Structure formats: structure tokens, C-alpha cells
Amino acid sequence: MTALTGGPSLPQERRVVTAIPGPKSLELQARRLQTVAGGVGSVLPVFTVRAGGGVIEDVDGNSLIDFGSGIAVTSVGSSAEAVVRRAAAQLADFTHTCFMVTPYEGYVEVCEQLAELTPGDHAKKSALFNSGAEAVENAVKIARAHTKRQAVVVFDHGYHGRTNLTMALTAKNMPYKHGFGPFAPEVYRVPVAYGYRWPTGPENCGAEASAQAIDQITKQIGAENVAAIIIEPVLGEGGFIEPAKGFLPAIAQFAKDNGIVFVADEIQSGFCRTGQWFACEDEGIVPDLITTAKGIAGGMPLAAVTGRAEIMDAAHAGGLGGTYGGNPVACAAALGSIETMREMDLNGKAKRIEEVMKGRLAAIAEKYDIIGDIRGRGAMIAIELVESGTKTPNAAAAGALAKACHAEGLIVLTCGTYGNVLRFLPPLVIGEDLLNEGLDIIEGAFARL
């Protein structure tokens, strides 16, 4: 079970031996406060010493069940055998040359894999970067170079990063944008098909929201001025919102009809997370460009823009790049991560996680009416919490439940425009016993709340 656990030395079990955080973590937290900028937050100040499979072990000897995956990064686990093996071999050969100075095969191999795995059978090319925000920013540059237009359209509840341009693309003010402006111009936001909160109900949402969005683009911006439309096929930070059926195909068709580059931001939803290689495959969407990061490299910093060859080649030579982009060790890790996903059928694992989680969460929802909605796909599942008997967002309940789970040794994350969503992103290699134990803890937290 090496690929699952990162070696037999890390038992796949929850173990709580101190308060969480424990004394050694609190000591490290005191040191951190002296030297780490206050703007850098942490969900839970326990300091990690080892991680793998479905657990994280801290400096106090506690072993926590991981329902966060480092925000959807360690889908193959935090120390997958193939990732460690390939990255270690590359480290021994060389750590860096800069692909823009003297290239290397690993970068090319990752681009070949991306061409094969991403939707569509057209000719594709890729460029590699360090982070999701960089990938999105470069997708905008490429789209503008290709179309000779400037405007970029994004959606309510969307999240695309923390650089100046991607803050402009991101919908939520606090904590991502507050006090950091002015932001990049020529960014326009339109409605998204948020079925749970759509005024006329989820059954009308896809058609009505797409009509509204297209109407706003046409009247307020002019389709002929739009370089790119960017959307997450499952909106991540905004609350794991799955756009209502029909919405994405309508927006993609509108983009195609008007020469607009359709960009699928699959940074959180890509690489088997939703039970498909990419979430846009669910409704047969073939994006012009697709941005990836997070799950691509088993925890090493790597991101990509992949898309139609003629669009990707629109930028002039030297116009794309970055000193560390496509670092050789990160590329080796990505090849190990993809190898693990294929060999272990992590799409199948993600679907099984969905089956277990949605079944258990539905049973909990029958007892507690503060659960307004259960949604998501694969191992990207969320519950939206509301005031009893209403749809009023209940951020306090989300915070209290997360805190209760943390105290019991379960890492969970919150999200949502209103801060009222508990999101679950377990590693795709988590054992079913740990998955159910984590769900037991969630159920117990509801009972106590």
C-alpha cells in the first residue's frame, strides 16, 4: 500500500493524544507570530511532520484525518510513491536550468500528457507556470493576443487568484480583495446558475441564468469586445457551486459564435477530483483553453495553460514564461502524479467517495434542517448551512462545525461567498474506513451543535 500511505511507517488511523493544537504546535505558533506576516492565515495551527494517504501527523504525535488535501492539491496523497520516486531522481540530476535557457524533456512530457488528457481531439499546446493565479493570468494574455480584444468576462461567486489581475477576476471581497485595489480594468462580472439560490428554482436556473449573462455581455460590453469568458466548471471558493445543467453549454456556444476564447478554470476541479479528468467533461464542454494547477503535481508547485494550438501560439516568442515555470522537479512530480491517477483509477475512487459522502450527508440532513443543500461531484463535496427553516446563510454554524471537527482530529475547510459552506476535499487515495470515521465526526459535531 505504499502509493496510498507514503510508506508503511505512517499508519492510516486517527490518533488524538493531546489537545489540538498541542503544546509543541503552540510553541511553533508563538515562533511563527514573531516572523511570519500576519496576512498569511492558517485554518488550523497544527504543525505537520509527516503526511500521506488520508492522514496528517503533527509535531505532538496527533494523526488527523485529512478532508482538505491542502486545498485539493494532494489528490494522490501527500507522499505518493511515484511522485516521491520521480521527483527524487530528478533532484539528484539537477534542480533547475530554466526552461527558457536550456530546456529539458520533463517539461515536454508534461505538455504531451496534458494534450492527451484534456478534453477535445484538436491539436493542443501548453505553457507551464508556478501557480493557478499565474495560469489564469497567462490565459488572459493568450486570449487577448489571439483575439486582439481586451474585455474579460467572469461570473458571480468565481475565484481565480490573488495577483492584481486575478483579484479583479475574483468575486469575493473579503479576504481576497479588501484594501488591495485599484484592480486591473476591462473585467466584467455576470450572473451564474446557482441553482439552490435561483429565485424561480433550480429547474429554470440553467436557461434563465445563461440568458441573463448573455444579455448583459451583449448589451453592456459588446460581444465583439470580449477576449475571454472564464469560468470554473464547479465554482470552488464561491461554495462548490455546480452551475445548473444547460448553463455551461449555452455560455460555451455563445463564446464560439462570437469568436470569444472560452476558458475553463479547472485549477480546483481538475485531475480526477470530480470523478472525471476534468469537470467540464460532465456536459461535454470542450474549452478553448483550460487552466490547471493544484492536483497536477502531488504537492509540488506547477500550473499550466493548455489549449488549441493556434490560440496558444498567438503570443509572440518570449511573451510567455517565468524563471521557475515548469521546474524540472515539479514536472517529474506531475508525471508521477498522473501515473498514480491512471494506475489506481482515481476517477473511480472519486466516484466512490461521492457515493459514500452523499449517502451519509443526506442521512444527516434529514435530522438537521440547517443543511440547506448538499452538492458537488466526486471528492469535491459541500454542504451549505442556513438558518433553520430558511435559506438565510449561516456562517456561524459553518465556523462552529469546522472548529468541532478540528478538535476531534478531522481537517475540514469552509468556503462560500457567504462563508456558510463546509467543503470536503479528501485525498482520492483515502481509505474507506477513514472516510467513514471522518463522517462520524461530522455527524457528532452536528449532534453537539
Side-chain angles (χ1 to χ4, degrees):
M1 295 297 281
T2 312
L4 278 176
T5 65
S9 59
L10 188 59
Q12 292 298 292
E13 62 184 27
R14 180 175 69 106
R15 188 174 63 250
V16 180
V17 295
T18 72
I20 294 174
K24 289 180 182 173
S25 278
L26 290 173
E27 200 178 296
L28 280 164
Q29 177 69 358
R31 284 170 55 192
R32 168 198 168 138
L33 292 173
Q34 296 301 310
T35 54
V36 178
V40 181
S42 291
V43 171
L44 181 58
V46 298
F47 284 74
T48 307
V49 289
R50 290 190 305 169
V55 297
I56 288 174
E57 189 179 290
D58 75 7
V59 288
D60 290 288
N62 298 301
S63 179
L64 288 73
I65 299 174
D66 182 11
F67 274 17
S69 298
I71 317 184
V73 168
T74 54
S75 297
V76 296
S78 298
S79 45
E81 185 276 332
V83 173
V84 173
R85 168 171 42 83
R86 285 179 180 251
Q90 180 57 53
L91 270 169
D93 290 339
F94 60 94
T95 61
H96 179 72
T97 64
C98 185
F99 191 77
M100 298 183 301
V101 179
T102 57
Y104 35 86
E105 187 179 5
Y107 189 117
V108 178
E109 281 188 273
V110 170
C111 294
E112 288 169 342
Q113 290 287 337
L114 287 165
E116 185 184 331
L117 292 171
T118 52
D121 53 11
H122 49 275
K124 297 175 202 157
K125 292 190 176 183
S126 295
L128 305 184
F129 305 98
N130 303 293
S131 69
E134 272 185 76
V136 173
E137 192 138 333
N138 278 279
V140 172
K141 286 164 60 176
I142 292 161
R144 284 174 169 166
H146 173 70
T147 60
K148 309 294 189 281
R149 303 170 181 178
Q150 292 185 345
V152 179
V153 172
V154 288
F155 294 83
D156 288 338
H157 309 288
Y159 176 88
H160 301 287
R162 294 174 182 260
T163 60
N164 186 265
L165 174 58
T166 57
M167 279 192 294
L169 302 175
T170 290
K172 190 175 178 180
N173 173 53
M174 193 68 184
Y176 307 116
K177 303 165 73 164
H178 188 73
F180 298 143
F183 301 114
E186 288 301 312
V187 172
Y188 301 88
R189 198 172 318 284
V190 297
V192 77
Y194 189 168
Y196 176 65
R197 295 194 171 276
W198 197 253
T200 59
E203 64 282 357
N204 302 311
C205 183
E208 290 179 3
S210 57
Q212 271 190 35
I214 289 165
D215 185 60
Q216 283 188 28
I217 295 166
T218 307
K219 289 192 172 73
Q220 296 179 22
I221 312 161
E224 67 278 10
N225 296 315
V226 179
I229 294 174
I230 307 174
I231 191 166
E232 302 159 274
V234 177
L235 284 76
E237 297 294 316
F240 281 27
I241 300 161
E242 291 182 89
K245 294 288 182 234
F247 180 82
L248 288 173
I251 299 295
Q253 188 61 50
F254 172 77
K256 186 178 181 182
D257 293 343
N258 289 278
I260 299 166
V261 177
F262 183 84
V263 184
D265 179 342
E266 292 262 14
I267 286 156
Q268 190 161 171
S269 58
F271 287 98
C272 306
R273 177 52 61 181
T274 61
Q276 291 161 299
W277 279 100
F278 299 98
C280 60
E281 295 175 64
D282 188 62
E283 288 186 89
I285 305 293
V286 178
D288 298 310
L289 300 179
I290 186 165
T291 59
T292 53
K294 290 193 184 289
I296 193 174
M300 295 296 286
L302 188 70
V305 183
T306 302
R308 297 183 186 279
E310 69 277 13
I311 298 177
M312 290 297 297
D313 281 342
H316 52 273
L320 304 177
T323 303
Y324 292 110
N327 169 272
V329 182
C331 285
L335 294 169
S337 189
I338 292 166
E339 176 189 324
T340 306
M341 289 170 186
R342 289 183 195 274
E343 286 188 358
M344 297 185 64
D345 180 23
L346 292 193
N347 280 317
K349 291 268 198 309
K351 286 174 183 159
R352 176 60 187 153
I353 289 169
E354 176 183 353
E355 190 184 338
V356 172
M357 292 200 90
K358 280 192 170 174
R360 292 285 309 272
L361 292 169
I364 296 169
E366 282 180 16
K367 293 189 213 169
Y368 306 103
D369 66 358
I370 64 167
I371 298 179
D373 195 25
I374 301 166
R375 56 177 178 255
R377 295 203 301 273
M380 188 174 182
I381 303 293
I383 51 176
E384 178 160 359
L385 299 163
V386 292
E387 302 285 351
S388 206
T390 73
K391 286 193 178 181
T392 305
N394 192 341
L401 285 161
K403 197 172 176 184
C405 289
H406 296 162
E408 295 293 320
L410 173 67
I411 294 170
V412 297
L413 308 174
T414 58
C415 67
T417 299
Y418 315 108
N420 67 322
V421 176
L422 269 183
R423 58 172 161 172
F424 309 116
L425 291 160
L428 306 182
V429 296
I430 193 169
E432 212 161 297
D433 53 340
L434 282 177
L435 187 64
N436 275 302
E437 190 176 352
L439 287 158
D440 291 341
I441 292 168
I442 291 164
E443 188 163 6
F446 269 97
R448 285 197 303 283
L449 187 72

